[in-house]
Amino acid sequence: MIFRLRQTAVCILAGLAFTGTTQADEAADAKEHPLTPAIRYATECMAKVDSLPGYEATFFKREVVGSTLVSQKLRIKIRHEPFSVYLYFETPNEGREVIYVDGSNSGNLLVHEAGLAGLIGTLELAPGSPTAMNENRYPVTMAGISKAVQAVIDQWEEETKYAECEVKYFKDAKLGTMKCRVVESSHPEPRKQFKFHKTRLWVDEATGYPVRIQQFAFPKKAGAEPPVVEDYTFTDIKTDVKLTDVDFDTKNPKYNF
């Protein structure tokens, strides 16, 4: 799949890219931090996902863990209440399965490896344990679209305390064949209060669901491309599913626990 950001129809005026505004609205927006309209938009999009009982999706993950760039493709099931996660790894570690249900299994996640490693049976791991975090920047308790978007919202809310922030809106971005709207925030200079140089939130234009989050570090030298630190993409999102306890149970006959 090709992930391409087509930089056309760019609007740098915060809050004016996606909806019409009156002159009074524009005057009010001018007094806001550039991130404030972006936070509102992200919150609205997240609410659309939160309104769903659950969903299934294909999840592509690229993130720097320690000094290593980890790339994975997974099939995921997410239920919002109680918060429940099922992960099936496609690449690498094909066949690995993970289950987490908030309030169950003593707060642990359940892991079953594929192949010979699976002969040891199902492992119970604390979400924040070194073994569970070996290939991850975030624990399984942060899995899913809503959790990822909330992290961006929290970041942007913290950054509204400071200046040196530019926000751009891209109306014609493409994610494969999906037409998206993208909100991009950036900071010109590395400061201790800025965790990332650039942040992008991609939203599917047809559904309003957030589908991709990218975080870039500050370039190490002038003129260099900012290196990716986090890149999370959700595709093939299925919302017409009825997830039950069986979907998050090691006894599910479709699973290999």
Side-chain angles (χ1 to χ4, degrees):
M1 179 171 292
I2 298 174
F3 301 144
R4 180 163 55 92
L5 182 64
R6 187 189 306 159
Q7 300 191 3
T8 60
V10 178
C11 180
I12 301 177
L13 298 177
L16 304 185
F18 303 153
T19 58
T21 60
T22 65
Q23 289 183 345
D25 291 331
E26 293 178 22
D29 287 347
K31 298 177 183 178
E32 292 181 317
H33 191 282
L35 281 170
T36 301
I39 292 170
R40 285 198 297 265
Y41 180 63
T43 302
E44 292 170 2
C45 294
M46 184 177 68
K48 292 182 179 181
V49 178
D50 285 339
S51 68
L52 302 170
Y55 58 90
E56 297 180 13
T58 300
F59 178 46
F60 296 88
K61 180 178 76 168
R62 288 199 307 146
E63 60 183 9
V64 176
V65 180
S67 58
T68 303
L69 180 63
V70 176
S71 297
Q72 297 173 333
K73 178 185 177 182
L74 307 89
R75 296 202 306 267
I76 67 172
K77 297 180 182 179
I78 300 289
R79 180 175 62 175
H80 289 137
E81 193 61 43
F83 180 67
S84 309
V85 180
Y86 170 77
L87 307 176
Y88 179 89
F89 286 68
E90 292 193 348
T91 57
N93 304 304
E94 182 178 4
R96 175 191 289 170
E97 295 175 288
V98 176
I99 285 176
Y100 173 81
V101 179
D102 193 24
S104 299
N105 306 309
S106 302
N108 292 325
L109 56 90
L110 307 177
V111 183
H112 187 268
E113 296 287 353
L116 293 176
L119 295 177
I120 63 175
T122 298
L123 301 176
E124 290 195 26
L125 301 172
S129 66
T131 300
M133 295 298 295
N134 185 49
E135 300 173 358
N136 303 284
R137 286 176 65 86
Y138 302 102
V140 71
T141 53
M142 293 290 292
I145 298 172
S146 291
K147 301 278 188 176
V149 176
Q150 185 62 60
V152 172
I153 292 172
D154 292 344
Q155 171 196 323
W156 280 346
E157 287 180 339
E158 178 65 23
E159 291 176 357
T160 60
K161 299 176 183 178
Y162 310 101
E164 295 187 322
C165 179
E166 181 180 30
V167 179
K168 296 180 181 180
Y169 296 83
F170 300 82
K171 295 174 62 177
D172 296 313
K174 285 293 186 70
L175 184 58
T177 60
M178 187 189 307
K179 188 175 181 180
C180 295
R181 295 173 174 179
V182 178
V183 183
E184 177 186 279
S185 67
S186 61
H187 310 288
E189 299 291 337
R191 309 287 186 194
K192 64 180 181 180
Q193 63 265 30
F194 299 136
K195 185 177 180 180
F196 303 106
H197 166 51
K198 188 176 294 185
T199 299
R200 289 181 186 150
L201 173 66
W202 297 59
V203 177
D204 178 9
E205 187 175 281
T207 64
Y209 299 148
V211 291
R212 190 182 193 187
I213 292 170
Q214 295 175 291
Q215 301 280 16
F216 299 87
F218 285 89
K220 293 185 178 180
K221 55 184 178 180
E225 288 293 318
V228 64
V229 180
E230 301 173 3
D231 191 346
Y232 308 126
T233 304
F234 300 86
T235 66
D236 304 320
I237 300 172
K238 296 179 176 61
T239 60
D240 58 343
V241 293
K242 294 183 179 179
L243 300 177
T244 67
D245 290 344
V246 175
D247 290 284
F248 308 97
D249 192 333
T250 58
K251 296 183 177 63
N252 188 322
K254 296 180 180 180
Y255 300 161
N256 294 314
F257 282 89

